[in-house]
Amino acid sequence: MTANSRKVLQVLDGQTLTPPPIWLMRQAGRYLPEYRQTRATAGSFLDLCYTPELAVEVTLQPIRRYGFDAAILFSDILVIPDALDRNVRFEEGRGPLMDPIDPSGILALKADSVADHLKPVIETVSRLRLELPGETTLLGFCGAPWTVATYMIAGHGTPDQAPARLFAYRHPEAFDHLLSLLADVSADYLVAQIDAGADAVQIFDSWAGVLGETEFQRYAVKPVRRMIDSIRARRPQAKIIAFAKGAGILLKNYRQQTDADAIGLDWSVPLSFAAELQKDGPIQGNLDPMRVVAGGLALDEGIDAILQLLGNGPLIFNLGHGITPQADPDNVSKLVERVRRAA
């Protein structure tokens, strides 16, 4: 099997496939017993991300179980600030933590050792391409500059990222510098993933939805466009998915503004609006993860609605955000089976 037979890549080229290819965000995760077993042996979460043997194993687990059309590198968006020496750690019950950064800290950031720090992740990509079935698309990824910056400013996740929004208003020059640095480092990181064997990459802007219109252009669109321009200048054939969660109506021109090949849609995007976006090119999404938890009729109806309204255009079937730990693995099996019966 060659790259030309990888269904996700066909859709990213603008083709409509019936049934559409399917993969799920966070498909390697705590809902799977085999993941929990591997995670228990890894030490810290970052140890799991930086140990190629273990990262390969957990990436492959959902492929073995479900035969998804794509595998996504197991890592985390916060390996970038970790590589920038921000003392990233993950604490049970609290999530990711790091040392908050201030304007002087931003100016002091050095990117010289980032590539070396991330070598284990790139090794994972290389190993995955060798071990995956030939027909399976390998996706790399990183966080978008805005989303990564929100954690760097606050030192932890917050409900509405108010610390980062306030920081951006008070220290616009420092914040723009941070976003530009993150865009450049992240573009280098994605190029390295592509060179190691990733067929396509996704940029996760998980906190785009807290931004107003002006801020969305400045903090979400501009840095992602900077990244994509940088990647395409070096790898013109790169395939890129951009996912701006919660952006709503601001997604109308997001594909054109960023030059992404496909845009990911969260579950709050109305399917009628999704169909309009699909006229301009491939879309990815957008089943509510809670339907996978609920199962039964809720799951079936959600799948059928997406297939009915979006299945006649270029679609990569996915969730509207990551699968949750409460999801029943059997419901994921039913999801995959129902999507693939759409032929």
Side-chain angles (χ1 to χ4, degrees):
M1 304 288 282
T2 67
N4 292 332
S5 63
R6 293 171 190 154
K7 294 179 180 178
V8 170
L9 293 184
Q10 292 176 45
V11 174
L12 291 177
D13 280 332
Q15 297 182 44
T16 297
L17 301 184
T18 304
I22 178 173
W23 70 278
L24 305 181
M25 288 182 278
R26 290 201 197 127
Q27 61 191 26
R30 287 177 288 168
Y31 75 104
L32 289 177
E34 56 266 42
Y35 170 86
R36 296 194 297 271
Q37 183 176 357
T38 305
R39 172 72 180 84
T41 68
S44 73
F45 177 74
L46 283 175
D47 287 336
L48 179 56
C49 293
Y50 291 137
T51 306
E53 180 180 356
L54 296 179
V56 167
E57 168 59 22
V58 293
T59 302
L60 293 175
Q61 286 169 353
I63 304 302
R64 296 189 196 113
R65 185 184 273 253
Y66 302 114
F68 288 122
D69 294 297
I72 186 164
L73 164 71
F74 184 86
S75 185
D76 194 86
I77 65 170
L78 298 184
V79 296
I80 290 290
D82 189 54
L84 290 167
D85 201 26
R86 298 312 301 165
N87 188 27
V88 177
R89 61 266 187 206
F90 289 77
E91 293 188 9
E92 205 66 39
R94 296 187 66 191
L97 302 171
M98 69 185 76
D99 296 340
I101 199 165
D102 59 18
S104 61
I106 289 172
L107 295 177
L109 286 172
K110 302 293 183 185
D112 302 348
S113 61
V114 169
D116 281 342
H117 188 93
L118 297 175
K119 277 183 178 178
V121 181
I122 304 306
E123 181 182 340
T124 298
V125 176
S126 298
R127 291 193 187 190
L128 282 168
R129 187 64 276 168
L130 293 174
E131 296 198 31
L132 280 167
E135 71 273 13
T136 306
T137 300
L138 175 56
L139 298 173
F141 80 94
C142 72
W146 158 253
T147 288
V148 174
T150 64
Y151 289 96
M152 294 180 71
I153 297 298
H156 54 85
T158 69
D160 56 4
Q161 302 302 359
R165 288 157 52 211
L166 184 60
F167 185 100
Y169 290 135
R170 286 177 169 169
H171 309 286
E173 291 184 4
F175 196 67
D176 284 343
H177 179 78
L178 177 59
L179 292 181
S180 295
L181 174 71
L182 290 173
D184 294 343
V185 167
S186 299
D188 292 345
Y189 179 42
L190 291 184
V191 167
Q193 292 182 41
I194 292 166
D195 290 348
D199 297 303
V201 293
Q202 177 159 316
I203 301 170
F204 285 83
D205 215 348
S206 304
W207 286 102
V210 303
L211 293 170
E213 184 175 12
T214 299
E215 293 76 22
F216 183 79
Q217 293 299 316
R218 183 169 178 176
Y219 304 141
V221 170
K222 184 179 176 182
V224 170
R225 180 63 188 246
R226 181 181 177 119
M227 286 179 62
I228 292 178
D229 284 348
S230 175
I231 294 166
R232 292 207 197 284
R234 290 174 280 175
R235 304 296 179 269
Q237 304 306 312
K239 295 297 180 185
I240 302 168
I241 305 166
F243 177 51
K245 180 178 178 290
I249 194 66
L250 297 175
L251 290 171
K252 184 175 182 180
N253 298 310
Y254 185 65
R255 182 199 311 273
Q256 294 86 343
Q257 291 168 335
T258 60
D259 198 31
D261 294 285
I263 54 173
L265 309 179
D266 67 82
W267 70 88
S268 71
V269 174
L271 295 182
S272 57
F273 182 41
E276 290 297 314
L277 296 171
Q278 194 181 41
K279 292 177 181 178
D280 294 326
I283 57 174
Q284 177 178 276
N286 67 331
L287 187 71
D288 185 349
M290 289 301 102
R291 289 186 182 269
V292 184
V293 177
L297 185 62
L299 178 59
D300 293 346
E301 288 180 342
I303 296 167
D304 294 349
I306 292 171
L307 293 175
Q308 180 178 355
L309 287 169
L310 305 177
N312 294 320
L315 170 69
I316 300 166
F317 198 103
N318 207 313
L319 302 181
H321 198 224
I323 192 167
T324 65
Q326 303 96 325
D328 185 336
D330 289 341
N331 285 343
V332 178
S333 295
K334 293 172 184 175
L335 164 59
V336 174
E337 291 166 8
R338 195 171 188 91
V339 169
R340 289 186 170 156
R341 282 205 306 268

